[in-house]
Amino acid sequence: MLNETEKQQITQLVHHWVVPAIGCTEPICVALAASKAAEVLGGVPDRIEARLSANILKNAMGVGIPGTGMVGLPIAIALGVLVGKSEYGLEVLRDSTPAMVEQGKAYIDAGRINIALKTDAPEKLYVEVVAHDADGHKATVVIAREHTHYIYVAKDDEVLCNEPLQPNAHAGACGADIPTAKSSLQLTLRKVWEYATTMPLDEISFINEARRLNGEAARLSLQGNYGHCLGKVLSRPLGRGIMGDSIYSHIISSTACACDARMAGAMIPVMSNSGSGNQGICATNPVVVFAEENHNTAEEMTRALMLSHLTAIYIKQNLGTLSALCGCVVAATGSSCGITYLMGGGYEQVTFAVKNMIANLTGMICDGAKPSCAMKLTTGVSTAVLSAMLAMQGNCVTSVEGIIDDDVDQSIRNLVSIGADAMNETDHCVLDIMTHKH
């Protein structure tokens, strides 16, 4: 049974990891660092340098930047210094306008931005920005491990923040440590289940903001043509004729719609999970659509959403914010747990769903943030539904099959071992292919 300290720590953890974001969080993270550097410098920099980890570069190369109609890092950095406000966090570009986008293009054309790989980056998520003014002053900002975690801020020789990374703690901007699954808070799937299903409803109802934001993102997506329009294709008569007009097809189309808009750079906020808007969408929309069409109660939907998001957080806290493993594997595992609960499943059925998901999707690569991520999300959430259906029939992949263990937490650790360690060489190969295409 959870003690009071654990309950408080888990609540704090969810608040820390489930936050609004506008745009893909990797280029937005770089924009945030650029914005902070400009603020510390005291004005728009004369020139700016960005040294980035390979995973940041990979996830920022082909994704749309909100409100610009452009892709990639230069416009994100330009808008960060021109209009960004670091206090907005992952919504740093919230105040951008078409006029500012034009100024950003001019800033880029003037050759003021230099972007390079940080070959010796200590973390997979690492952003180092140095802003220079015309008088020879400079401001340095470093974000690492988490998208909003400043570990170093300085103006010339004056160090304003210096928080070396700790191995077992995540933190805010030079602030208090946040408990993680590797620190004093030892999460297990059983604890995730207990928290989601037994906490007083008013203490977890904040998770419903994810339902509002991500549902609205799906609806707004239908008003434009974003990315590959996968959500629209699934929602049109042709899509309905092939896929049917069912809970299953509605889950897939809602998830794809929200992802289409986000990856194409729509100025639409979504609720993220573990630093990823797509993971937030994947952990939210399937659960909400199922609950609404299955006529579950408001309480059941709230608890299912918390179960979904907290499961994803639990896995990601061990896997790491960025990895070679596609994040939809993790987030869809969370949504499968939520859907299983909404189907009337108990803890045992939820463990079955997790094992089914790990057996099926482990190994899906992350080859950067881009419009086609919507296709991967539909793969994840369709598998989430199938895994829940199997679980409710008492069927799950057993320990004699592949990487699955009788212990569900060990199965999760096996997934993490592959995604965080074994696939590192895959990550290098993917980035090499992406940067050497002709």
Side-chain angles (χ1 to χ4, degrees):
M1 178 174 288
L2 294 172
N3 59 46
E4 288 303 314
T5 299
E6 287 178 317
K7 291 177 183 177
Q8 292 173 8
Q9 288 179 324
I10 293 173
T11 300
Q12 185 183 21
L13 196 63
V14 178
H15 276 296
H16 179 71
W17 284 116
V18 182
V19 295
I22 297 177
C24 175
T25 47
E26 277 68 64
I28 292 301
C29 170
V30 182
L32 178 63
S35 172
K36 184 72 171 180
E39 291 168 1
V40 172
L41 190 63
V44 175
D46 186 62
R47 58 187 176 90
I48 192 161
E49 303 166 357
R51 301 293 178 263
L52 313 172
S53 63
N55 285 76
I56 289 288
L57 284 172
K58 178 182 73 174
N59 278 6
M61 289 172 63
V63 69
I65 306 304
T68 68
M70 301 170 67
V71 299
L73 286 163
I75 190 64
I77 293 172
L79 289 177
V81 301
L82 292 171
V83 72
K85 289 184 174 63
S86 65
E87 65 192 75
Y88 291 168
L90 294 179
E91 296 180 285
V92 61
L93 301 184
R94 190 166 71 196
D95 294 338
S96 180
T97 64
M100 295 308 301
V101 172
E102 291 306 311
Q103 290 187 38
K105 292 177 182 178
Y107 192 87
I108 296 168
D109 292 341
R112 295 184 175 189
I113 301 172
N114 180 270
I115 301 167
L117 172 68
K118 179 77 171 179
T119 55
D120 58 346
E123 291 281 331
K124 291 183 177 181
L125 193 164
Y126 183 89
V127 174
E128 180 182 311
V129 169
V130 182
H132 304 264
D133 68 14
D135 297 323
H137 297 290
K138 70 176 183 177
T140 304
V141 173
V142 179
I143 292 176
R145 189 175 292 170
E146 298 177 21
H147 294 83
T148 59
H149 179 193
Y150 302 99
I151 64 167
Y152 184 82
V153 179
K155 182 174 183 180
D156 294 327
D157 295 328
E158 181 186 1
V159 177
L160 306 175
C161 161
N162 188 11
E163 294 283 343
L165 289 168
Q166 300 300 318
N168 295 325
H170 293 247
C174 291
D177 287 341
I178 301 297
T180 73
K182 293 182 179 179
S183 62
S184 59
L185 176 60
Q186 298 294 326
L187 277 180
T188 63
L189 191 64
R190 171 70 75 175
K191 289 181 179 180
V192 168
W193 166 265
E194 183 179 337
Y195 180 88
T197 58
T198 66
M199 282 291 286
L201 194 62
D202 62 341
E203 294 185 31
I204 62 170
S205 60
F206 65 87
I207 201 68
N208 286 314
E209 182 66 5
R211 170 193 177 190
R212 185 187 71 79
L213 282 179
N214 296 354
E216 183 68 6
R219 286 187 289 273
L220 291 173
S221 179
L222 293 172
Q223 298 176 14
N225 292 315
Y226 297 108
H228 298 295
C229 297
L230 179 57
K232 264 193 169 182
V233 168
L234 293 168
S235 301
R236 286 170 172 161
L238 176 63
R240 292 284 191 249
I242 295 172
M243 299 294 292
D245 191 9
S246 64
I247 296 178
Y248 179 70
S249 65
H250 297 168
I251 284 173
I252 296 173
S253 61
S254 174
T255 305
C257 277
C259 183
D260 282 336
R262 182 172 177 271
M263 290 289 94
M267 188 65 82
I268 298 172
V270 300
M271 190 65 79
S272 66
N273 181 297
S274 303
S276 166
N278 282 351
Q279 287 168 204
I281 291 166
C282 203
T284 302
N285 292 38
V287 174
V288 170
V289 171
F290 187 90
E292 289 177 344
E293 301 201 18
N294 195 50
H295 303 297
N296 288 98
T297 66
E299 177 176 347
E300 288 169 340
M301 183 189 294
T302 300
R303 294 194 182 282
L305 276 173
M306 181 56 74
L307 178 61
S308 177
H309 277 273
L310 188 54
T311 299
I313 290 169
Y314 165 40
I315 300 173
K316 286 293 289 186
Q317 288 289 275
N318 292 281
L319 182 63
T321 306
L322 298 179
S323 75
L325 186 71
C326 176
C328 83
V329 174
V330 174
T333 299
S335 65
S336 189
C337 293
I339 291 170
T340 302
Y341 170 79
L342 291 169
M343 288 178 172
Y347 176 71
E348 183 180 32
Q349 286 74 37
V350 165
T351 67
F352 290 174
V354 170
K355 292 178 183 180
N356 291 340
M357 291 294 291
I358 293 173
N360 194 334
L361 290 181
T362 298
M364 183 187 290
I365 65 166
C366 170
D367 55 344
K370 59 210 174 301
S372 61
C373 285
M375 299 172 72
K376 293 191 176 186
L377 261 66
T378 59
T379 297
V381 300
S382 62
T383 303
V385 176
L386 296 176
S387 295
M389 291 169 62
L390 277 176
M392 290 304 294
Q393 298 301 313
N395 294 323
C396 79
V397 179
T398 67
S399 61
V400 300
E401 304 174 69
I403 63 172
I404 300 304
D405 193 273
D406 286 330
D407 182 344
V408 67
D409 293 296
Q410 183 59 50
S411 295
I412 290 171
R413 288 191 288 272
N414 294 344
L415 165 69
V416 168
S417 177
I418 292 170
D421 302 319
M423 291 180 70
N424 279 336
E425 186 56 37
T426 301
D427 222 9
H428 297 150
C429 181
V430 167
L431 184 65
D432 185 64
I433 290 171
M434 290 175 65
T435 55
H436 290 86
K437 287 191 291 187
H438 298 291

